[in-house]
Amino acid sequence: MKKQFLICSLVISSLAYSQVGINTSVPTNTLDVNGTARVRTVNQGVGTAEIYPLYVDNTGVVVKSSTSPTNGGIRSNTVNVASGGTGTLLGSISNGVYKALIVTGNGCALSASAEFLINISSFNNYYGLNGQGGFVTLDTNNRPTFTQTVATAIGVTWSGVPGCADGSNATSFNYTLTMPAAATINVVNNSNVARNYTITLTRVN
């Protein structure tokens, strides 16, 4: 029986710390791969923990989405909220400026997405949110109406949404987004049935 052996050529440079080169004798980073790379298993983000998109710069070095350790960080979560109930989308949010995308759908394959700006400052505990836009997949011109009376709460209503076999009616996608505290985003379900709400929060500053 013939045995097959996988031979890997590694070159380790004697610098202040070790540098490993694959297919290169002059590595310039901790791990320097001169060729393609493959990762067979990548773990998903855990719960609502912040994650960061990865990119490569013009020399092929892997970098985060921003030079800042926080800008570009993404958190997401999904909650199921009963009709008339309140659910916490995210908590423990750090100071900063964020974009939030809220998505909900019904049993008839319709989906409503709306975008918000959220600003949290530790100075005098200032914080708030503001609706930016969105649409229902039924018609891209079917945009939400934002009703805001205070900086920390905004009602979102949708017109022209048909009833569905899941029991929902024209109020199907209506909700209120609130911030009961600087580090928390809640959603109040204003529809006539239970709904899932998914938030994707991306830090921009």
Side-chain angles (χ1 to χ4, degrees):
M1 178 183 288
K2 293 183 179 179
K3 293 184 179 180
Q4 293 181 329
F5 297 93
L6 179 63
I7 300 175
C8 216
S9 175
L10 301 179
V11 180
I12 300 178
S13 175
S14 300
L15 298 176
Y17 55 90
S18 294
Q19 292 180 318
V20 177
I22 298 178
N23 247 7
T24 177
S25 59
V26 285
T28 58
N29 292 84
T30 306
L31 176 62
D32 191 338
V33 180
N34 181 18
T36 60
R38 177 179 181 180
V39 180
R40 292 180 181 267
T41 302
V42 177
N43 294 333
Q44 290 185 333
V46 179
T48 61
E50 196 165 20
I51 60 175
Y52 302 91
L54 295 180
Y55 304 92
V56 293
D57 65 14
N58 60 358
T59 67
V61 174
V62 177
V63 295
K64 289 182 181 180
S65 57
S66 169
T67 55
S68 164
T70 53
N71 292 358
I74 297 173
R75 296 177 64 190
S76 62
N77 189 38
T78 299
V79 295
N80 182 269
V81 184
S83 174
T86 300
T88 297
L89 287 167
L90 282 176
S92 302
I93 304 170
S94 302
N95 292 334
V97 180
Y98 300 84
K99 282 187 177 181
L101 180 67
I102 309 294
V103 179
T104 186
N106 64 14
C108 296
L110 288 181
S111 177
S113 56
E115 190 174 47
F116 303 82
L117 280 179
I118 295 173
N119 198 327
I120 303 172
S121 172
S122 60
F123 179 71
N124 284 341
N125 206 28
Y126 290 145
Y127 58 94
L129 49 84
N130 184 261
Q132 299 296 294
F135 71 97
V136 174
T137 50
L138 179 71
D139 182 353
T140 57
N141 289 320
N142 190 333
R143 302 184 183 280
T145 298
F146 298 113
T147 303
Q148 186 156 16
T149 54
V150 294
T152 57
I154 184 167
V156 184
T157 57
W158 307 79
S159 61
V161 177
C164 175
D166 65 4
S168 60
N169 56 28
T171 68
S172 179
F173 297 142
N174 296 352
Y175 59 88
T176 301
L177 206 62
T178 70
M179 295 182 69
T184 303
I185 300 173
N186 284 353
V187 61
V188 180
N189 180 357
N190 297 328
S191 78
N192 69 312
V193 296
R195 276 280 169 260
N196 283 334
Y197 298 91
T198 298
I199 183 172
T200 302
L201 187 73
T202 304
R203 182 162 182 170
V204 296
N205 192 14

